Amino acid sequence: MEVLVLEIEDPGCFWVTMKGCGPYIVDEIEYKNLNAEMNQFYDKSYKDVDEVKPLMVEEGQICVVFSEELKCWCRAVIKSIMYCTDHYQTECFLVDYAKYIFVKSKDIRVALEAFMQIPYRAKKCRLYRTKPVTLRIDFCKDTAKIVPAKRWDSAATRYFQNLLKATTQMKAKLCAVEGNTFDVFLYVTIKDEKVCVNDDLVSKNFARFEEAKENTGNSADYQENQTSLNVESLPVKIVNTALAFRPVLFQEKVSTNLETGLGISSSFLEETYQRSSTDLNENTASIVKGIPGLPFKENTAVHTDRLQQFLNSDPLKTHIIEDDQQSFQNLSEERNFVFLSDKIEPSSVLETAPLFDHLKKELTRKKFLGPNFTESYCWPPVARGCDVVAISYQGNDPFLYIPPVLTFLQSGSCYKALPNRNGPIALILCPGWKKAQLVFELLKTYERCSRQLHPMLIILGQNKEEARSVKIRGCEVIVTTPYSLLRLFEHHSLLFCRLCHLVLDEIDVLFSDTTEQVFTVLDCYKKAIITEEWEYSPHQIIAVGTHWNKHIAHLIKEFMNDPYIVITAMEEASIYGNVQQVVRPCMNSERTAVLLKILDFTCSNLQKVLVFTNSVNEAEMVHKALKSNSIFSLKIHKESEFNFKYILEQWTNKYSSGTHVVLVLTDDCMQSLGITDATCVIHFSFPSPRIFGQRLHSMSDNFCNMIKNSSVDQEYTKARSVILLTENSACHALGILRYLQHAEAEIPPELHDLTAKMLETEEDKKFSRPLCAYLKTFGICKNRTVCPDRHQINLQIDVPQNIPDKIIQTPGCVTILPLHIVNATNYFGRIVDKQKDQYTILAEEINEYFKKPSNTISVKNVEKLAFYGLCEKTLFHRVQVVEISPKEDENLFFNVKIKYIDEGRTSQVPSHQLLHLPAKFQCLPPQAVEFVVCRVKPIDNEIEWNPKVTHYIHHKIKGKLHEAKIVHTLGNTAWVDPMVRVTRLSDLKMSVNEYNVRSEILSTGLGTDNPEHITQLQKLCGHMKVLDHAKNLEPLSIKEDTAGPENASNPQNMSIQESSTENYGVAQTKEAEDSTLHQRKCFYPEIKWFQNEDTVTVTVKTASVADCKCEFSKEKVVFSACSGDKLYLADMELHQYILAEKSTCVIKDKETIIVLAKEKKGAWCKLLKNENPHVSFDFEHWEDFEDKSPFPVGTKKLYCTAAVTEELVDSSEDSGTESDEKNILACWGLFFQETLGCLYLKTGRTTVLIRLH
């Protein structure tokens, strides 16, 4: 692997960062994303610094500090603490940059677990089995000799440092891992000469090779000191921040192949060693064993040309090597492939990259490793102002375009011909606000070393006034999303008048989610550059992504000018090249017969077919089968008697039309052969995804350029890929299906059946996982196949928890206290009992108990999942230990992860802060409940809430009592709709609705309606009984105000929006039981109603009804209908009389509309005489009226206001006022209604309820 040295102490201790791919290497883009997220979080997310300050600091503690040199927040480990006159000074080691800095203790921040999920970037290394020596002089004998030493000589260290400074390229071969140190062979290139540093130090007498112990496999002591690289045993993530300092990717102790990460046998290692030995010159006397358990013969001489097959590889070229054995030594070397529409000279070194000097210096200062493979091909055409399309595995990395675009923007003379108006020169479109935020942060970082561009991040909601108020004066670069841009364009028509550079970031996501919006932007850009004044100005479109999309072809044809197409993902290049993908399902034993059928065809053109196998035995078997069927074929594998030169000569011979040339080979021969002109690839055995792309690259010469040659028939293709899908390929079936869908290829039914079973099996494996957060919050998970969480109901986990039984039995209005805000609609908090809240009593007792110093007893032996007390500022909390960090030998204390069981939040605290919690305080179950506000989601198909909304809701609701209606419960989660803040004015004896949380979210313009939220959850539940005791439901009521604040009235505008009654049966009225349909189980439908002066409109929610009947009488309506196998019956005894002959019933697709003509004009305060939990007022119509005017005046609003009474008032007899007594007035936009002893007032968005005495 390629490495970059960060810091050098001596040859036995130096720090590097690794490039490339492997089970122990993290892509650099992940570190960039981590850095951007950390900067965003610690700079902006917390106004209150105390929330992210550690309670204490100690040596070895993981933390986050700000580096003045790097100008960013960095992960660090505290190495030492020094006391100064007025503060503590800490020496911290930056674990991603291998730097030591001094930081004041007050400037240290807590390292959140989310920022510790990937290993440290800086890896501590030492030269493998290369030990220091020194010159020992014996004055008595007057002799001097070189002997082993305990530490490195200063001359050796200086030589080592100079050697690494002079290198132009550096590679390392990982041999072993011990503790947190990597043992490596280090190879450097100096003046085009490659040198093994280990050998060089030994040859210069600066070091010696440590002799290896013989190991036959039974030496337990030796094995215990070695650490394996078995990728199958690697943990997915760091589960504790205290473990992050160690290279967590290396845990188990099983010998593995370091190149592939797969376990290998000792016999294979021995063969590999023997082949390697034959490549050395006769004068070479020593081969140092690189992997434990590898038998070898140790000698003393040293040769610096160790393992030439490793050193002489070129990642960009394929060489034909005559020596068979040497060729196979190169097979494990990683090689990158690229498909180009036009020739590009790559810039693989930062010094020669087409960037301006100040940017190069800034990148060097930030330890940028230089352009990766894709960047080396993308930067040159982008920096020249050409149109570029780049598809790569790193296609979501903004660094593919940011450095060269910044370079081009430095040349101000290019833009002199532009009109002198306000407007951006460059526009970057991102698929969502989160990616736009990342791009903007990178632009701000690197804009410091360029001319002032004044970049702007514009994320707009649906509030038109917000878009109208945006000022873009002086801004030259805008980062935004398609939806936000079009909202801005409505009010800034000259937005495109100066636009030269349009960047489409993650083009595949943009086209899949916002196709119409992107093409609208492209049309506007195209119209803007047609004018004559653009003749001498640059215009450039850059599109980068990870997948090819069919709309990209249209983008290139209609909007780009001869673009450079760079594709480094070969699977995507094959889709661009119109390679025909064919899947042949068969049994494993039938593969040979199917292969023969595939090859048994005649064609007028020359056919070159590659048959790929996974093993030597397989290749031999296939070759014999072809030969026995008189099919001319070649074969090549690592044990073949033919060398590569012979095979290539046969392959490249000129053959007549209609000839079939078949080559059977194994994957390890691909790179050495370098074939690119095959017309057909047959996957006799299916490989890993990376190898699959390399196989397709063998046909790259025959990829069709469908963009330039539009006359080519879409059905015609020169290249073909055939996959033999057997029962042994089941593990790849899902990947094959997704790829075929992406390629729009024909999919056999067998593959659909197989993947359906696999997906079901995968979901079953997640059965013990938590329920998916997206499913809970929005009712749907868009990435279900890759989401690690559960998407089905688990009856054992999803039984209600921490929710009082009386609320489950009689769900209705509850008082909740949000304490931990996760996002705009997801909170943790408590359900508060107004009459007698048990937790309030318990909290007072706990704080009173711990006020006595004798009761604050620290816990000595901390146990996982046990309950303890914890002091936070002046309050004491009940906490549960959910995770314990490994104890360090030298540390008396260690950190534990705790959960505040009555609030729902988690934190890391030192173990000594935990206090013994008496059993009497543990009796009350944990009070924390998760609340989800229903029927609202982010705009623009986003899957995460914009931080602006979350921040706004956080400050509005945290720690405040709210009234809420529970409509659904699963596990420890309660879905509420609505959730309202009610304030009681005790002096005036009235209650005021301050706000509805859902309405507040919608008012930000960044949220939108999500009507299917609860419906989706109910479908998920299926047979589960949600709100099973619905027959006991009572509408939200307002009772007489007799007590203190705990009896604050319920919110007036709460809708009783019940769960679908299709999930449970409801006992019907006596009349229904006496009907002719009484033998079938009946369901009461969901009914909503609204009114005007003359009529009442009743909406019955039933889909696809049959046999619908509606009988009208003066005081009654009986509705019945069948939907599927269910019978719905509603016998409604009306509150007032109707005209039966003028009433009508209209059946629609998903609902039935019943219009009742009132006998007397006027407002009804309710629909039915008696309470019914399935009947509610239609607030959607009420809200529509409200939106027409801030001070609504008119009969419609007046009667809607009157109708609200049904939801708000208690119809009990002791109310003291007849329900018919009401007085409705309208004046100056204020609306009053007196009913049941209450005066209801509404103006604009303010709602007031006044109790009359």
Side-chain angles (χ1 to χ4, degrees):
M1 72 196 114
E2 194 169 346
V3 298
L4 177 69
V5 173
L6 300 176
E7 187 65 31
I8 301 172
E9 292 185 13
D10 54 49
C13 180
F14 56 98
W15 303 82
V16 305
T17 181
M18 301 177 178
K19 296 178 65 177
C21 300
Y24 44 87
I25 300 176
V26 178
D27 197 315
E28 194 68 20
I29 182 61
E30 293 194 34
Y31 290 112
K32 293 177 185 175
N33 293 341
L34 173 67
N35 184 262
E37 291 175 2
M38 287 173 61
N39 288 334
Q40 179 184 351
F41 178 85
Y42 290 103
D43 283 342
K44 299 179 180 178
S45 295
Y46 278 85
K47 296 281 180 75
D48 186 1
V49 178
D50 292 333
E51 292 186 23
V52 290
K53 273 190 177 181
L55 298 177
M56 62 174 294
V57 294
E58 55 187 3
E59 291 185 8
Q61 182 176 335
I62 312 295
C63 62
V64 173
V65 298
F66 186 82
S67 169
E68 292 294 338
E69 178 187 356
L70 300 175
K71 301 297 181 186
C72 65
W73 290 93
C74 309
R75 301 186 293 179
V77 174
I78 298 176
K79 306 302 288 184
S80 63
I81 303 174
M82 295 167 287
Y83 181 73
C84 300
T85 55
D86 58 346
H87 65 276
Y88 284 96
Q89 189 88 351
T90 62
E91 183 186 30
C92 297
F93 179 72
L94 306 184
V95 294
D96 293 320
Y97 302 94
K99 291 178 178 290
Y100 287 88
I101 64 171
F102 287 91
V103 180
K104 292 182 180 180
S105 58
K106 65 183 181 67
D107 295 328
I108 295 175
R109 301 290 181 265
V110 172
L112 298 187
E113 183 179 343
F115 299 141
M116 306 302 293
Q117 300 301 307
I118 60 176
Y120 296 156
R121 177 171 170 266
K123 308 292 192 299
K124 185 180 179 181
C125 298
R126 65 187 176 199
L127 298 182
Y128 181 65
R129 287 191 180 160
T130 307
K131 302 300 180 182
V133 296
T134 188
L135 186 66
R136 178 179 295 173
I137 300 174
D138 190 335
F139 292 97
C140 298
K141 298 180 181 180
D142 198 21
T143 60
K145 63 178 180 179
I146 296 176
V147 297
K150 291 186 177 180
R151 65 180 189 176
W152 288 92
D153 185 81
S154 59
T157 301
R158 190 162 52 251
Y159 178 81
F160 179 70
Q161 291 173 337
N162 293 336
L163 193 65
L164 298 191
K165 286 180 181 179
T167 183
T168 56
Q169 188 181 29
M170 193 180 309
K171 290 188 177 183
K173 188 173 183 67
L174 183 59
C175 301
V177 181
E178 185 174 354
N180 61 351
T181 305
F182 295 68
D183 291 334
V184 299
F185 279 119
L186 195 61
Y187 302 94
V188 298
T189 303
I190 301 176
K191 296 181 180 179
D192 297 328
E193 182 180 354
K194 295 182 178 179
V195 178
C196 176
V197 177
N198 305 55
D199 290 338
D200 193 49
L201 288 176
V202 174
S203 65
K204 299 288 195 301
N205 288 326
F206 286 124
R208 65 181 177 87
F209 279 122
E210 181 186 53
E211 293 185 3
K213 300 176 183 178
E214 289 294 333
N215 179 23
T216 60
N218 55 1
S219 175
D221 294 337
Y222 183 80
Q223 292 177 355
E224 285 179 359
N225 291 329
Q226 300 300 326
T227 308
S228 143
L229 306 176
N230 186 356
V231 70
E232 296 180 356
S233 64
L234 305 183
V236 175
K237 63 180 181 180
I238 304 174
V239 294
N240 191 290
T241 55
L243 293 174
F245 186 58
R246 301 182 179 276
V248 298
L249 293 176
F250 315 107
Q251 297 291 336
E252 300 298 328
K253 300 180 180 179
V254 183
S255 295
T256 61
N257 182 337
L258 299 181
E259 298 294 336
T260 63
L262 303 176
I264 53 177
S265 64
S266 60
S267 61
F268 177 80
L269 290 174
E270 185 171 353
E271 292 173 8
T272 305
Y273 162 73
Q274 291 171 351
R275 290 198 300 270
S276 300
S277 300
T278 61
D279 285 334
L280 301 180
N281 296 336
E282 294 180 358
N283 296 331
T284 304
S286 172
I287 297 290
V288 176
K289 181 174 70 173
I291 301 176
L294 177 62
F296 71 101
K297 183 176 180 180
E298 185 73 18
N299 294 308
T300 56
V302 178
H303 194 280
T304 58
D305 295 326
R306 176 190 306 275
L307 303 179
Q308 293 294 323
Q309 72 279 5
F310 173 80
L311 297 176
N312 291 330
S313 62
D314 188 334
L316 300 180
K317 298 178 181 178
T318 302
H319 298 286
I320 301 172
I321 307 172
E322 294 188 16
D323 185 271
D324 293 343
Q325 298 297 336
Q326 186 179 8
S327 300
F328 282 105
Q329 301 307 318
N330 272 328
L331 300 181
S332 60
E333 285 299 304
E334 180 186 356
R335 181 190 172 197
N336 294 310
F337 295 90
V338 62
F339 178 84
L340 303 172
S341 60
D342 295 286
K343 185 177 180 181
I344 299 174
E345 191 65 35
S347 299
S348 55
V349 182
L350 183 60
E351 287 74 13
T352 61
L355 309 178
F356 65 100
D357 292 338
H358 291 295
L359 181 56
K360 288 182 182 179
K361 291 177 182 178
E362 182 70 12
L363 291 171
T364 304
R365 191 178 68 82
K366 290 185 175 295
K367 304 294 182 182
F368 180 67
L369 299 178
N372 60 31
F373 182 71
T374 307
E375 290 167 351
S376 67
Y377 282 93
C378 287
W379 285 5
V382 173
R384 293 199 300 267
C386 304
D387 290 348
V388 175
V389 174
I391 306 296
S392 166
Y393 300 120
Q394 297 84 33
N396 56 357
D397 183 1
F399 249 67
L400 285 176
Y401 59 83
I402 285 181
V405 167
L406 286 177
T407 299
F408 196 95
L409 290 173
Q410 301 312 302
S411 54
S413 58
C414 297
Y415 309 108
K416 289 183 178 180
L418 293 175
N420 189 20
R421 298 169 183 166
N422 288 320
I425 293 176
L427 173 64
I428 302 177
L429 277 188
C430 299
W433 67 263
K434 200 167 187 178
K435 182 59 179 291
Q437 180 75 42
L438 171 63
V439 172
F440 178 71
E441 293 292 341
L442 288 173
L443 279 175
K444 291 290 289 183
T445 299
Y446 293 101
E447 184 235 3
R448 299 168 189 165
C449 61
S450 69
R451 70 181 182 88
Q452 291 298 310
L453 300 173
H454 306 288
M456 286 182 66
L457 173 65
I458 299 179
I459 304 296
L460 296 176
Q462 295 174 333
N463 292 345
K464 295 184 178 180
E465 191 59 39
E466 182 185 8
R468 193 177 293 113
S469 63
V470 173
K471 305 297 181 184
I472 55 176
R473 184 173 300 171
C475 167
E476 295 194 12
V477 182
I478 287 180
V479 184
T480 185
T481 64
Y483 287 104
S484 294
L485 180 65
L486 293 179
R487 292 183 188 118
L488 182 67
F489 185 57
E490 287 181 13
H491 305 280
H492 298 268
S493 57
L494 299 178
L495 190 63
F496 292 90
C497 68
R498 288 168 49 85
L499 187 62
C500 297
H501 309 274
L502 176 59
V503 180
L504 305 175
D505 192 299
E506 294 191 49
I507 184 66
D508 48 320
V509 182
L510 287 173
F511 273 142
S512 62
D513 295 345
T514 57
T515 310
E516 182 181 347
Q517 289 75 19
V518 172
F519 278 122
T520 301
V521 173
L522 288 168
D523 287 333
C524 293
Y525 176 67
K526 186 176 181 180
K527 292 175 183 177
I529 63 176
I530 290 177
T531 57
E532 293 182 4
E533 59 188 7
W534 279 87
E535 184 177 356
Y536 301 104
S537 299
H539 43 89
Q540 177 186 42
I541 299 179
I542 303 166
V544 299
T546 54
H547 298 287
W548 183 264
N549 185 289
K550 61 182 180 181
H551 296 295
I552 298 178
H554 183 65
L555 166 69
I556 294 173
K557 289 179 182 177
E558 298 298 327
F559 301 99
M560 288 185 162
N561 180 23
D562 193 20
Y564 284 87
I565 300 174
V566 179
I567 307 179
T568 57
M570 285 302 106
E571 311 93 275
E572 303 303 319
S574 70
I575 297 176
Y576 161 81
N578 202 29
V579 174
Q580 182 186 7
Q581 298 289 343
V582 180
V583 175
R584 293 292 181 88
C586 63
M587 299 299 294
N588 195 59
S589 57
E590 300 172 346
R591 284 186 300 168
T592 305
V594 173
L595 174 64
L596 294 174
K597 288 182 181 179
I598 294 172
L599 295 175
D600 185 20
F601 69 96
T602 57
C603 183
S604 58
N605 298 322
L606 171 64
Q607 295 294 314
K608 290 188 172 184
V609 182
L610 294 177
V611 181
F612 284 98
T613 61
N614 280 352
S615 65
V616 173
N617 292 337
E618 213 173 56
E620 289 287 347
M621 181 267 291
V622 171
H623 180 67
K624 288 180 181 178
L626 297 179
K627 190 175 180 181
S628 62
N629 283 270
S630 303
I631 298 176
F632 172 71
S633 65
L634 304 167
K635 69 173 180 180
I636 186 70
H637 52 73
K638 59 187 175 184
E639 297 178 5
S640 167
E641 67 271 16
F642 298 110
N643 60 29
F644 286 90
K645 184 176 180 180
Y646 169 77
I647 295 297
L648 285 172
E649 286 177 353
Q650 294 294 317
W651 180 265
T652 55
N653 281 343
K654 290 186 177 181
Y655 296 96
S656 59
S657 298
T659 305
H660 288 187
V661 181
V662 181
L663 173 59
V664 183
L665 72 163
T666 51
D667 292 319
D668 47 16
C669 303
M670 272 192 297
Q671 297 181 22
S672 298
L673 288 170
I675 293 175
T676 57
D677 62 343
T679 59
C680 179
V681 164
I682 299 176
H683 308 276
F684 192 79
S685 295
F686 199 79
S688 65
R690 183 177 65 87
I691 299 297
F692 179 71
Q694 293 181 12
R695 288 179 176 182
L696 297 177
H697 182 261
S698 303
M699 302 184 289
S700 57
D701 289 355
N702 291 312
F703 287 176
C704 295
N705 191 334
M706 303 305 295
I707 296 163
K708 290 186 177 180
N709 188 9
S710 57
S711 61
V712 177
D713 186 359
Q714 291 290 328
E715 297 300 323
Y716 171 74
T717 177
K718 292 178 64 179
R720 190 166 64 127
S721 168
V722 183
I723 301 171
L724 302 186
L725 182 66
T726 70
E727 65 274 19
N728 294 341
S729 308
C731 58
H732 301 295
L734 193 56
I736 296 173
L737 176 65
R738 290 175 186 160
Y739 181 67
L740 293 178
Q741 291 172 336
H742 177 43
E744 297 184 352
E746 183 179 350
I747 302 173
E750 295 89 343
L751 183 58
H752 274 300
D753 296 339
L754 180 60
T755 51
K757 294 177 182 177
M758 288 184 63
L759 287 172
E760 187 176 346
T761 303
E762 287 297 318
E763 280 298 324
D764 290 341
K765 291 179 182 178
K766 306 174 186 177
F767 206 55
S768 60
R769 294 278 304 164
L771 191 63
C772 172
Y774 294 107
L775 203 61
K776 290 194 291 186
T777 309
F778 307 125
I780 188 172
C781 177
K782 293 184 178 180
N783 300 313
R784 180 170 293 205
T785 54
V786 296
C787 178
D789 290 331
R790 175 167 51 91
H791 301 90
Q792 54 185 330
I793 298 300
N794 184 335
L795 292 175
Q796 294 180 342
I797 298 177
D798 293 326
V799 293
Q801 303 169 11
N802 303 348
I803 300 175
D805 292 339
K806 64 179 181 180
I807 294 175
I808 299 172
Q809 294 168 2
T810 311
C813 180
V814 296
T815 302
I816 67 174
L817 180 66
L819 297 169
H820 173 53
I821 312 303
V822 179
N823 57 47
T825 56
N826 188 205
Y827 333 119
F828 283 89
R830 292 189 292 107
I831 297 176
V832 179
D833 190 335
K834 293 180 181 179
Q835 305 299 328
K836 185 179 179 181
D837 188 48
Q838 294 181 348
Y839 176 76
T840 303
I841 299 170
L842 178 68
E844 292 175 356
E845 293 177 355
I846 290 176
N847 282 277
E848 193 66 31
Y849 174 82
F850 282 117
K851 281 182 181 179
K852 299 179 181 179
S854 58
N855 292 335
T856 55
I857 304 171
S858 296
V859 179
K860 294 182 180 179
N861 298 320
V862 178
E863 298 180 3
K864 190 175 180 179
L865 302 182
F867 294 97
Y868 301 101
L870 178 69
C871 180
E872 192 174 69
K873 295 182 180 178
T874 59
L875 296 178
F876 290 87
H877 302 269
R878 299 192 301 169
V879 299
Q880 183 182 29
V881 175
V882 294
E883 192 175 291
I884 301 177
S885 311
K887 298 180 182 179
E888 300 291 343
D889 295 336
E890 66 274 11
N891 289 342
L892 295 175
F893 307 112
F894 53 94
N895 288 334
V896 294
K897 183 179 180 181
I898 61 164
K899 180 178 181 179
Y900 295 78
I901 62 173
D902 301 313
E903 296 184 13
R905 59 190 171 102
T906 59
S907 178
Q908 287 268 352
V909 299
S911 61
H912 66 84
Q913 293 185 5
L914 299 179
L915 305 175
H916 174 70
L917 187 68
K920 65 179 180 179
F921 297 140
Q922 301 183 29
C923 296
L924 186 67
Q927 296 296 292
V929 177
E930 182 182 17
F931 299 105
V932 178
V933 174
C934 303
R935 297 190 302 119
V936 63
K937 62 182 179 180
I939 60 171
D940 304 342
N941 295 319
E942 295 275 8
I943 61 173
E944 293 186 41
W945 284 106
N946 191 301
K948 288 193 285 188
V949 192
T950 300
H951 184 74
Y952 173 71
I953 296 297
H954 177 276
H955 285 279
K956 199 167 191 68
I957 72 171
K958 185 177 179 181
K960 299 177 183 178
L961 291 174
H962 291 74
E963 301 297 321
K965 175 74 176 181
I966 295 181
V967 297
H968 200 87
T969 56
L970 281 177
N972 194 38
T973 305
W975 283 262
V976 295
D977 186 19
M979 175 178 167
V980 180
R981 168 68 172 165
V982 178
T983 300
R984 181 179 178 277
L985 306 177
S986 56
D987 293 340
L988 301 177
K989 293 187 177 181
M990 69 169 61
S991 298
V992 180
N993 279 9
E994 288 189 30
Y995 56 82
N996 182 318
V997 174
R998 177 176 178 272
S999 298
E1000 289 297 312
I1001 295 173
L1002 294 173
S1003 69
T1004 64
L1006 295 170
T1008 188
D1009 189 35
N1010 184 15
E1012 300 297 320
H1013 188 178
I1014 293 298
T1015 305
Q1016 293 292 338
L1017 287 170
Q1018 290 166 349
K1019 288 180 181 178
L1020 181 71
C1021 293
H1023 62 278
M1024 286 193 66
K1025 293 185 179 181
V1026 184
L1027 298 179
D1028 193 24
H1029 304 272
K1031 58 188 176 184
N1032 296 323
L1033 282 175
E1034 296 180 1
L1036 301 180
S1037 60
I1038 298 175
K1039 299 183 179 179
E1040 200 66 34
D1041 189 5
T1042 57
E1046 67 276 7
N1047 287 329
S1049 61
N1050 297 331
Q1052 293 87 335
N1053 60 340
M1054 289 188 178
S1055 164
I1056 307 179
Q1057 190 169 6
E1058 297 302 334
S1059 304
S1060 172
T1061 57
E1062 294 181 13
N1063 290 327
Y1064 48 83
V1066 178
Q1068 303 300 314
T1069 61
K1070 187 176 185 303
E1071 291 81 359
E1073 293 176 352
D1074 293 338
S1075 70
T1076 57
L1077 301 170
H1078 74 279
Q1079 294 180 352
R1080 297 177 60 181
K1081 187 176 181 180
C1082 298
F1083 297 87
Y1084 205 105
E1086 180 186 356
I1087 294 176
K1088 292 193 174 187
W1089 70 282
F1090 62 94
Q1091 63 178 318
N1092 60 25
E1093 186 179 5
D1094 301 311
T1095 63
V1096 174
T1097 303
V1098 179
T1099 303
V1100 184
K1101 300 291 185 178
T1102 52
S1104 304
V1105 299
D1107 299 329
C1108 179
K1109 295 180 181 180
C1110 191
E1111 299 178 0
F1112 299 99
S1113 63
K1114 187 174 182 180
E1115 57 186 17
K1116 196 175 188 180
V1117 177
V1118 179
F1119 169 84
S1120 64
C1122 294
S1123 178
D1125 58 347
K1126 295 180 180 178
L1127 171 65
Y1128 292 95
L1129 179 64
D1131 190 344
M1132 296 175 281
E1133 189 174 356
L1134 301 175
H1135 172 62
Q1136 293 190 24
Y1137 295 148
I1138 62 171
L1139 300 174
E1141 64 278 5
K1142 293 185 178 181
S1143 300
T1144 59
C1145 176
V1146 180
I1147 302 172
K1148 295 187 177 181
D1149 184 30
K1150 294 184 179 180
E1151 60 187 14
T1152 300
I1153 307 296
I1154 302 173
V1155 180
L1156 306 177
K1158 296 178 181 178
E1159 186 179 70
K1160 294 181 180 180
K1161 292 184 179 182
W1164 289 14
C1165 62
K1166 57 181 179 178
L1167 178 66
L1168 306 180
K1169 275 188 178 181
N1170 302 316
E1171 302 281 344
N1172 192 306
H1174 309 292
V1175 179
S1176 62
F1177 185 77
D1178 194 340
F1179 283 92
E1180 296 298 328
H1181 286 78
W1182 186 46
E1183 291 178 356
D1184 289 342
F1185 291 116
E1186 182 180 36
D1187 291 340
K1188 290 181 180 178
S1189 170
F1191 297 101
V1193 178
T1195 57
K1196 290 188 177 180
K1197 183 62 186 181
L1198 180 144
Y1199 294 121
C1200 289
T1201 305
V1204 177
T1205 310
E1206 181 183 6
E1207 306 299 334
L1208 298 177
V1209 300
D1210 186 4
S1211 60
S1212 59
E1213 295 179 358
D1214 59 352
S1215 62
T1217 306
E1218 292 294 328
S1219 61
D1220 291 338
E1221 297 178 16
K1222 54 186 177 291
N1223 180 28
I1224 304 173
L1225 301 173
C1227 61
W1228 304 311
L1230 300 178
F1231 287 86
F1232 302 88
Q1233 179 181 348
E1234 181 188 347
T1235 179
L1236 296 181
C1238 299
L1239 183 64
Y1240 175 72
L1241 180 149
K1242 182 167 182 65
T1243 175
R1245 289 188 174 272
T1246 303
T1247 305
V1248 179
L1249 179 75
I1250 303 175
R1251 302 186 185 281
L1252 304 179
H1253 296 277

